[in-house]
Amino acid sequence: MRVIIVGAGFGGIAAAIELRRRGIADVTILEKADRPGGTWFHNTYPGAACDVPSHLYSFSFAQRYDWVRLCPTQPDISRYVHDVVAEHGLSDMIETGTHVTACRWDDAGRRWTVETSRGERTADAVIVATGQLHQPATPRLPGEFAGHSFHSAAWDHAYDLRGKRVAVIGTGASAVQFVPPVAEQAAHTTVFQRTGNWFLPRRNHRYPRAYRMLVRRVPALQRARRKGLFWYLESLTASIRHPQTLGRLLAIRSRLFMRYQLRAHPELRERIWPDYTFGCKRVLFSSFFLPTLARPDVEVVTEPIERLAPTGVVTADGRTHEVDCIIYGTGFRTTDFMFPMEVTGAGGRSLAEAWKGGAHAHLGIAVPGFPSLYVMYGPNTNTSGGSIITYLEAQAGYIRQALELQRDRAAALSVRPEVEAASDREVQARFAGTAWTRCDSWYRDESGRIVTNWPGYMREYLEQTKRLDPGDFELVS
Ligand code: NAP
């Protein structure tokens, strides 16, 4: 059985390791970039780091005992991905510089044709592991800016920010990390905030030497910590699921922290304060962002942006904020998933057509009418409280079971439409009463449906994906 995986980020790597380990050996990963790593390969902005502890932002089967701080930085993660690829001998199965443009199911031949920038391939199964955070979203603002500009996911390291007047548009998880180092360098920084955020502290200092030595000598300590952190992350999800009770408590913690950080700047605090329920958008972890906003050489603009002018950014109050450079920290086209890749399933039906009312898939993995096509980090599998790596490992295990079933019993598998429809209804119903429903966010598609996030806990997803029920699939012979 020949399997093609699209994308060599954490998802594609998890799948390849799982398949190889269970004897499915003819696996190729096609990766558009020059190196594996996915979003962590592309996002190299200053300060890029993860705010999930390494114990969980790493594979369960590739834990390390030499981490130097709680949360990994982008270089730490890049190195980790590189090492895991080497340790598992995956290098020979990854074809970098290969951009997949289309996947077409051949009803008669019972297999997939995968079109790439380097020619066509065929496969008995395709795993689309392109994730939700790989297509930068740059707003189309009217007008033209004559200076320099770039997106945080395509950082221009050749551009020297020293002495420049810099505009940053957006105040999401990425901007919160890169604004402090940018403000250190730039002559003046103007931060354009459209919506306020809830913050919790995160300093991420290096561990003391004695602690690092202890972890190396007593690996059980790290394992126990991983378990503890798992439950801590589950408690964050609990606070989003129960905004009136647990959510309130954490919101108080956040409020106290934010008030303390901006204790000398009440006017600024009022302007940047979020106006929606704690946890509805991603809660941001930083002890450095709010103090940076209070710097004398930083201005926060909350007036809506109207247009670009050759010399800067014009806001609704008619003011032109003159800058040399604009950095877009405006996030990703999360609800596009693998598009604009063309995916055509049984009977020539396109995935774009199947998802025109919003993306949905059984457990975020299997789409009716698309035999032996599996999605990783697909619809409703993003997490606001947990670690995506936990979800990816669960998906890799589930997909491996599907492929074993295919290998033993059928030419292809197709999830039953009624099974997928029922699980989609269940997922959507689980959002009721949660903080996620209380504002607009990138978790929603144009129709307002929440299509990116899993509405529950990591442990529920692990439970539901643990054993594939063959009855959920039609066997295509
Ligand atoms: P993001 O969370 O989507 O934030 C985008 C920001 O740009 C928001 O503040 C948004 O405002 C603003 N924006 C978008 N379009 C705009 C426009 N036309 N005019 C003005 N402002 C505009 O993107 P991100 O910061 O790149 O983060 C994306 C995701 O990546 C995160 O949610 C997270 O899942 C992941 N990430 C994770 C980490 C980590 O540590 N684990 C770090 C970085 C990123 P609104 O809020 O009003 O839409």
Side-chain angles (χ1 to χ4, degrees):
M1 182 161 60
R2 181 181 299 161
V3 182
I4 286 182
I5 299 173
V6 187
F10 270 99
I13 290 169
I17 293 173
E18 174 75 15
L19 298 188
R20 266 223 176 150
R21 195 184 268 164
R22 298 302 191 102
I24 299 172
D26 189 351
V27 180
T28 306
I29 308 182
L30 305 177
E31 167 56 55
K32 69 180 175 188
D34 298 334
R35 282 188 66 166
T39 198
W40 293 105
F41 170 79
H42 295 283
N43 284 269
T44 59
Y45 57 78
C50 187
D51 51 22
V52 177
S54 300
H55 310 67
L56 284 153
Y57 208 87
S58 57
F59 293 122
S60 58
F61 52 82
Q63 291 292 293
R64 302 286 190 252
Y65 298 92
D66 58 354
W67 286 315
V68 295
R69 47 177 91 73
L70 183 66
C71 298
T73 63
Q74 184 272 341
D76 294 336
I77 298 173
S78 262
R79 206 171 316 116
Y80 177 78
V81 168
H82 178 265
D83 292 350
V84 169
V85 165
E87 282 158 21
H88 290 266
L90 302 185
S91 303
D92 58 322
M93 61 161 78
I94 303 176
E95 272 189 51
T96 53
T98 308
H99 189 174
V100 173
T101 51
C103 298
R104 297 184 208 290
W105 173 250
D106 171 0
D107 281 317
R110 304 270 193 274
R111 61 182 179 181
W112 286 94
T113 300
V114 176
E115 288 172 20
T116 84
S117 53
R118 297 169 64 180
E120 241 176 53
R121 317 288 159 83
T122 56
D124 300 297
V126 172
I127 301 172
V128 182
T130 48
Q132 298 183 8
L133 302 173
H134 69 117
Q135 304 190 69
T138 306
R140 283 206 201 114
L141 297 169
E144 268 206 37
F145 175 57
H148 193 60
S149 61
F150 53 88
H151 190 281
S152 62
W155 197 269
D156 185 353
H157 291 280
Y159 185 77
D160 190 355
L161 291 164
R162 279 174 303 180
K164 302 282 186 350
R165 297 164 305 167
V166 178
V168 173
I169 300 182
T171 50
S174 301
V176 159
Q177 293 180 343
F178 71 71
V179 164
V182 164
E184 280 291 321
Q185 291 188 39
H188 189 270
T189 309
T190 311
V191 177
F192 292 87
Q193 174 188 288
R194 189 165 66 177
T195 315
N197 293 294
W198 290 104
F199 286 85
L200 285 171
R202 175 185 179 282
R203 292 198 167 274
N204 209 25
H205 289 315
R206 279 176 81 86
Y207 290 139
R209 250 174 100 115
Y211 177 76
R212 278 158 52 198
M213 268 171 58
L214 192 65
V215 167
R216 264 202 286 269
R217 300 240 166 99
V218 192
L221 187 65
Q222 186 95 309
R223 286 197 293 274
R225 205 136 181 248
R226 180 173 152 88
K227 279 212 181 98
L229 285 163
F230 181 92
W231 290 105
Y232 165 70
L233 293 186
E234 293 285 72
S235 76
L236 290 181
T237 301
S239 73
I240 301 171
R241 285 205 50 76
H242 303 285
Q244 302 291 21
T245 49
L246 288 172
R248 277 228 170 116
L249 288 180
L250 210 53
I252 291 171
R253 168 86 183 91
S254 174
R255 207 170 272 142
L256 290 174
F257 169 67
M258 292 171 68
R259 289 186 79 85
Y260 179 73
Q261 286 230 304
L262 293 175
R263 58 195 176 284
H265 308 276
E267 184 273 332
L268 174 63
R269 194 176 65 209
E270 210 163 284
R271 279 199 301 127
I272 60 102
W273 204 259
D275 60 357
Y276 56 86
T277 307
F278 177 88
C280 179
K281 287 180 186 237
R282 200 173 187 284
V283 175
L284 302 179
F285 295 80
S286 173
S287 301
F288 307 109
F289 181 71
L290 294 176
T292 299
L293 297 188
R295 283 172 64 125
D297 55 356
V298 173
E299 184 186 3
V300 180
V301 176
T302 49
E303 275 292 317
I305 297 174
E306 202 171 72
R307 62 185 169 87
L308 299 178
T311 55
V313 180
V314 183
T315 41
D317 54 1
R319 203 176 142 199
T320 303
H321 304 265
E322 301 210 335
V323 292
D324 304 301
C325 173
I326 299 175
I327 305 176
Y328 291 96
T330 43
F332 300 85
R333 301 212 304 268
T334 50
T335 56
D336 283 5
F337 295 95
M338 69 292 285
F339 299 133
M341 183 195 296
E342 276 178 53
V343 182
T344 314
R349 186 159 185 251
S350 75
L351 188 61
E353 171 70 19
W355 281 359
K356 73 171 187 285
H360 52 94
H362 179 52
L363 297 167
I365 302 172
V367 189
F370 293 81
S372 297
L373 178 96
Y374 303 101
V375 187
M376 296 189 80
Y377 196 2
N380 293 109
T381 63
N382 181 56
T383 168
S384 303
S387 166
I388 191 61
I389 311 295
T390 304
Y391 290 78
L392 294 173
E393 275 190 49
Q395 288 159 13
Y398 186 88
I399 294 169
R400 185 259 307 154
Q401 294 176 59
L403 294 179
E404 283 172 344
L405 190 62
Q406 176 178 348
R407 183 184 60 190
D408 299 343
R409 298 192 23 206
L413 296 189
S414 194
V415 68
R416 293 184 187 279
E418 65 278 16
V419 168
E420 191 276 332
S423 73
D424 183 48
R425 272 197 303 276
E426 206 176 295
V427 161
Q428 290 300 324
R430 281 274 285 156
F431 282 112
T434 67
W436 288 299
T437 61
R438 299 188 173 198
C439 70
D440 191 15
S441 69
W442 66 253
Y443 305 146
R444 295 177 188 268
D445 67 10
E446 280 165 9
S447 72
R449 221 173 95 96
I450 300 179
V451 292
T452 63
N453 268 34
W454 175 248
Y457 299 95
M458 288 188 279
R459 63 177 185 282
E460 290 171 331
Y461 192 76
L462 290 171
E463 192 52 43
Q464 290 184 30
T465 47
K466 199 168 170 184
R467 247 178 281 289
L468 175 142
D469 180 352
D472 289 348
F473 289 83
E474 288 162 12
L475 305 185
V476 182
S477 52

